[in-house]
Amino acid sequence: MDGQQRIPILKVGRVLIVPIQVDMDDQTVIHLQERILTELERTGARGVLIDISLLEMVDSFIGRVLSDVAAMARIMDARTVVVGMQPAVAITLVELGLELRGVDTVLNVDEGIRLLRSEFGIDEDEEGAGPHGGAFAEQVNRP
Amino acid sequence: MQGITSTRLGDIYVRREADIVKVRERVRRLAREMGFDATTQIKITTAVSELTRNIYEYARAGAITLSLAQRGHAAAGLQIIARDDGPGIEEARLRSIVRGSYRSPSGLGVGLIGTRRLMDEFDIQSRAGEGTRVTVVKWLPPTEAEEARSRADELRDYLATDEDDSALEELSRQNRDLVQVLGELEEKREQLEQVNRRLEESNRELNEANAKLRELSAMKEEFLALTTHDLRSPLAVISGVINFFTSGRLGDLTSEQKNMVEMMERNTQNLIELVNDLLDASKLESGTMRLDAASIGLRGLIEELREQMQPLAAEKEIALEDEIPEELPDLRADRAKLRRVLVNLVSNALKFTPKGGRVRVSAAREGGMVRVSVADTGVGIPEDDLKDIFDKYAQARSRATRSEKGTGLGLYITRQLVELHGGKIEVQSEVGKGSTFSFTIPIAS
């Protein structure tokens, strides 16, 4: 019932990647927010990349939490990028009157990583960075 | 909503947070099944998510009713009614929501307003304290409408096949709730039992400590009785020896020797009084003090007292007066103990009255009792000290009299003796003007 779905948080270099692949209940959303902040502190990551390409609905609650995460991460000296928003979701958000205040959005994970990298001036020596967690994570574990 | 007929397809209950996700999922699938395009599916889902969250946040529980809406001959759409029995919305705020100018103070202010924008029809009915009912409709494009109009039964079945939306699911959900409540109850009961056990334990500890205290107290009394008894015997010997000196039976003393012996005599006398006080106090405490009651004339007793106290009064130039009415009846009292009470009060009065003052003993009948008063023109007693003046060792606690000699047992013993007779003692005093102690003793029947 109230069991929380686990959303993975992957660390790639100095970026945390959070692929959201299911419709989350509120508890899961709040829990995710906490975990992102905890991971930021633990790993000293400078960027958070939240992939919502599979998310089919962003309501005011999720939108608010995304804004909150961005604001909190900023206070912890990290930048947040939301990637892969579906067009229909974007349309809905606008009609809903929700601005994702303080959240940068880009089209896909590649763009997101590039944006975050340029932000911290990290060398871009990886090749073929794909949006899928596992392989990716190994790949960028070099300093 | 005017001109709209609706055919109910199903209800979804909102009881817990997870239900928000369930409603979204269910509505999304129904929207797809009805033929809404992907973007509209998302709009409807988002709107219903807002409505459901409002139910959960403001009312904790409610229901979402999904219906097939029809208007005129062609239009068809999805109608969603969100209702709860929560606190409702007050009128002014409701109006501003309907106008679209409302900003929620809690969130981003998008919930209802956003829902209104996402849907085609919007209606809200709410009264403070009577719950809220929000009705929204999204119309299908004409191409899909016609088919949807004929599919009400099919759509109902479609919703019902979502196994856990049936009445059965509701029942089993209530069952689960019940089991949970039972579990919580059981837990509470266990906690209670635990608290109970702990209470019992501390009770037992308290009892033990109590018994121990009583034992210690008894031991203390016993010790006090024994030691004072043992102290009294050598004191009696010393007192006797001093008598030999003062009586002149051992020959004449030089004036210096005489002075010394007098000093010894005075101090020995003090010691004997002190030991007697202690002994009496311990007897009173242990309840072994017995009264040897007889019929006593107060006048004779006062005469005796006068003789005894006169030297001290004369020394301090204090007028010792008495006023005992002729017709005063005899008292029923233990003579020695009543005398003790009077001696204590009068000597206290003399002690705390400065030179040239006055100490007056008077008596008067008061129903079946006689009230005896000892009034002085002494230093008086501060109000703070008055309340516990009859307590044991009160003198030791009081700053005013600490410099005076005495154990502070005197008034304690006095009160105990008066009460042993069935009387009461009280005191009135004004600092600088004097004090009046008075007590009652029953008259002889």
Side-chain angles (χ1 to χ4, degrees):
Chain A
M1 298 268 100
D2 294 332
Q4 282 159 7
Q5 305 132 288
R6 285 296 278 199
I7 308 290
I9 297 179
L10 309 164
K11 181 178 178 265
V12 178
R14 306 192 68 183
V15 176
L16 296 180
I17 298 188
V18 187
I20 299 174
Q21 289 162 333
V22 289
D23 187 9
M24 301 174 289
D25 62 43
D26 294 1
Q27 276 310 312
T28 305
V29 176
I30 288 170
H31 188 59
L32 180 64
Q33 168 180 335
E34 280 165 20
R35 278 174 55 226
I36 290 174
L37 297 176
T38 311
E39 285 300 298
L40 269 181
E41 193 210 359
R42 195 177 67 79
T43 62
R46 300 289 310 279
V48 180
L49 191 148
I50 303 176
D51 178 10
I52 60 167
S53 53
L54 290 171
L55 205 58
E56 300 197 309
M57 193 224 57
V58 174
D59 65 1
S60 63
F61 178 74
I62 296 177
R64 189 164 65 225
V65 173
L66 285 177
S67 283
D68 287 353
V69 167
M72 292 170 189
R74 194 159 46 242
I75 292 169
M76 294 177 75
D77 197 22
R79 191 157 165 203
T80 305
V81 176
V82 170
V83 306
M85 185 182 292
Q86 294 182 16
V89 172
I91 293 168
T92 307
L93 275 181
V94 171
E95 276 189 26
L96 195 59
L98 196 72
E99 314 159 33
L100 291 183
R101 218 168 303 153
V103 182
D104 287 316
T105 47
V106 292
L107 278 182
N108 55 43
V109 175
D110 274 347
E111 293 291 328
I113 293 273
R114 205 163 295 141
L115 179 74
L116 290 173
R117 286 245 168 82
S118 69
E119 190 87 349
F120 327 128
I122 301 171
D123 287 343
E124 203 178 333
D125 55 356
E126 286 87 19
E127 46 193 37
H132 298 294
F136 205 124
E138 272 184 20
Q139 205 172 37
V140 204
N141 251 349
R142 282 178 272 156
Chain B
M1 236 171 261
Q2 285 193 345
I4 297 178
T5 55
S6 57
T7 315
R8 196 179 142 279
L9 301 177
D11 297 305
I12 309 170
Y13 295 93
V14 181
R15 289 268 157 70
R16 65 203 71 224
E17 206 185 82
D19 290 339
I20 303 176
V21 176
K22 198 171 80 179
V23 170
R24 284 203 294 250
E25 163 72 12
R26 204 69 51 80
V27 168
R28 184 179 166 77
R29 283 203 283 152
L30 181 67
R32 191 178 51 211
E33 185 64 24
M34 284 176 78
F36 286 103
D37 64 69
T39 303
T40 312
Q41 286 170 32
I42 287 177
K43 286 183 186 176
I44 296 173
T45 312
T46 307
V48 86
S49 179
E50 301 292 342
L51 293 178
T52 314
R53 181 169 289 105
N54 275 350
I55 291 179
Y56 182 72
E57 267 180 19
Y58 296 114
R60 287 287 125 188
I64 301 286
T65 300
L66 304 169
S67 309
L68 177 68
Q70 299 181 57
R71 187 165 58 185
H73 295 295
L78 174 59
Q79 183 189 57
I80 301 165
I81 299 173
R83 61 190 145 77
D84 64 58
D85 298 322
I89 305 171
E90 55 189 79
E91 219 183 313
R93 193 185 295 177
L94 189 63
R95 270 202 304 274
S96 84
I97 288 172
V98 175
R99 271 200 314 274
S101 61
Y102 179 69
R103 302 288 295 179
S104 162
S106 51
L108 291 172
V110 295
L112 282 172
I113 317 278
T115 301
R116 186 175 194 178
R117 277 198 294 256
L118 288 170
M119 303 300 279
D120 297 327
E121 312 284 341
F122 178 93
D123 178 62
I124 180 165
Q125 277 167 15
S126 180
R127 286 257 283 282
E130 288 176 18
T132 306
R133 177 192 173 103
V134 181
T135 309
V136 293
V137 177
K138 192 79 184 173
W139 298 113
L140 279 162
T143 45
E144 306 287 341
E146 195 178 342
E147 194 192 341
R149 283 175 85 101
S150 60
R151 287 182 62 206
D153 290 338
E154 212 177 306
L155 289 170
R156 190 180 299 118
D157 289 345
Y158 179 80
L159 257 188
T161 52
D162 281 337
E163 75 308 328
D164 60 355
D165 192 32
S166 57
L168 196 68
E169 161 63 10
E170 180 56 20
L171 254 182
S172 79
R173 195 180 351 201
Q174 282 176 358
N175 227 343
R176 276 198 298 274
D177 282 353
L178 213 64
V179 169
Q180 195 180 340
V181 168
L182 276 178
E184 279 165 15
L185 267 178
E186 175 69 10
E187 209 171 292
K188 287 240 170 64
R189 196 186 58 81
E190 256 167 39
Q191 279 171 358
L192 254 177
E193 241 170 40
Q194 230 167 17
V195 169
N196 238 338
R197 267 200 300 278
R198 250 178 276 151
L199 266 177
E200 261 169 31
E201 204 168 303
S202 56
N203 234 341
R204 216 188 46 241
E205 279 168 13
L206 271 177
N207 274 339
E208 275 169 23
N210 229 337
K212 196 148 202 169
L213 268 178
R214 265 202 298 274
E215 200 178 316
L216 277 175
S217 181
M219 271 167 73
K220 189 202 77 183
E221 294 305 331
E222 199 177 338
F223 173 75
L224 211 57
L226 279 175
T227 44
T228 44
H229 206 267
D230 286 352
L231 281 170
R232 222 153 55 149
S233 319
L235 275 174
V237 176
I238 294 170
S239 175
V241 172
I242 289 172
N243 260 336
F244 270 104
F245 283 105
T246 50
S247 64
R249 268 181 280 175
L250 295 174
D252 286 340
L253 302 172
T254 66
S255 72
E256 202 169 341
Q257 284 170 334
K258 212 171 167 186
N259 269 342
M260 296 289 179
V261 170
E262 271 169 12
M263 206 193 294
M264 278 167 64
E265 190 182 23
R266 254 197 329 273
N267 281 292
T268 308
Q269 208 50 47
N270 286 344
L271 254 183
I272 289 174
E273 273 170 30
L274 174 65
V275 168
N276 281 343
D277 274 2
L278 281 172
L279 203 57
D280 282 350
S282 90
K283 269 192 202 160
L284 282 165
E285 200 124 306
S286 60
T288 51
M289 179 77 89
R290 293 276 167 271
L291 281 187
D292 191 6
S295 195
I296 295 163
L298 188 62
R299 287 181 78 80
L301 197 58
I302 299 284
E303 280 307 313
E304 237 174 74
L305 194 71
R306 201 180 192 23
E307 251 164 60
Q308 190 189 339
M309 303 308 253
Q310 195 54 56
L312 184 57
E315 193 184 309
K316 287 187 76 178
E317 295 167 25
I318 293 171
L320 187 54
E321 303 169 351
D322 60 66
E323 187 188 316
I324 313 296
E326 293 274 350
E327 67 281 5
L328 196 75
D330 281 355
L331 307 176
R332 177 160 187 80
D334 182 318
R335 187 180 172 86
K337 297 192 170 69
L338 182 57
R339 187 188 147 96
R340 182 80 193 281
V341 168
L342 284 164
V343 168
N344 276 352
L345 293 180
V346 172
S347 62
N348 261 352
L350 291 172
K351 192 156 65 175
F352 292 109
T353 300
K355 246 180 193 176
R358 187 162 48 87
V359 172
R360 180 188 186 86
V361 183
S362 58
R365 183 166 176 165
E366 240 185 55
M369 312 284 271
V370 164
R371 177 172 294 279
V372 185
S373 306
V374 179
D376 64 46
T377 57
V379 292
I381 305 157
E383 211 175 316
D384 275 356
D385 293 338
L386 272 179
K387 57 185 185 311
D388 54 3
I389 196 164
F390 294 111
D391 286 353
K392 228 200 282 189
Y393 310 118
Q395 188 176 322
R397 281 199 294 268
S398 158
R399 261 163 291 126
T401 56
R402 201 167 291 162
S403 55
E404 294 291 339
K405 73 184 176 64
T407 50
L409 280 172
L411 283 176
Y412 169 72
I413 292 170
T414 304
R415 184 186 73 178
Q416 298 288 327
L417 289 177
V418 167
E419 285 175 1
L420 210 56
H421 281 89
K424 275 209 172 87
I425 188 164
E426 57 194 53
V427 58
Q428 281 159 356
S429 184
E430 200 174 323
V431 173
K433 292 220 169 143
S435 313
T436 301
F437 285 83
S438 68
F439 62 91
T440 53
I441 290 288
I443 60 176
S445 47

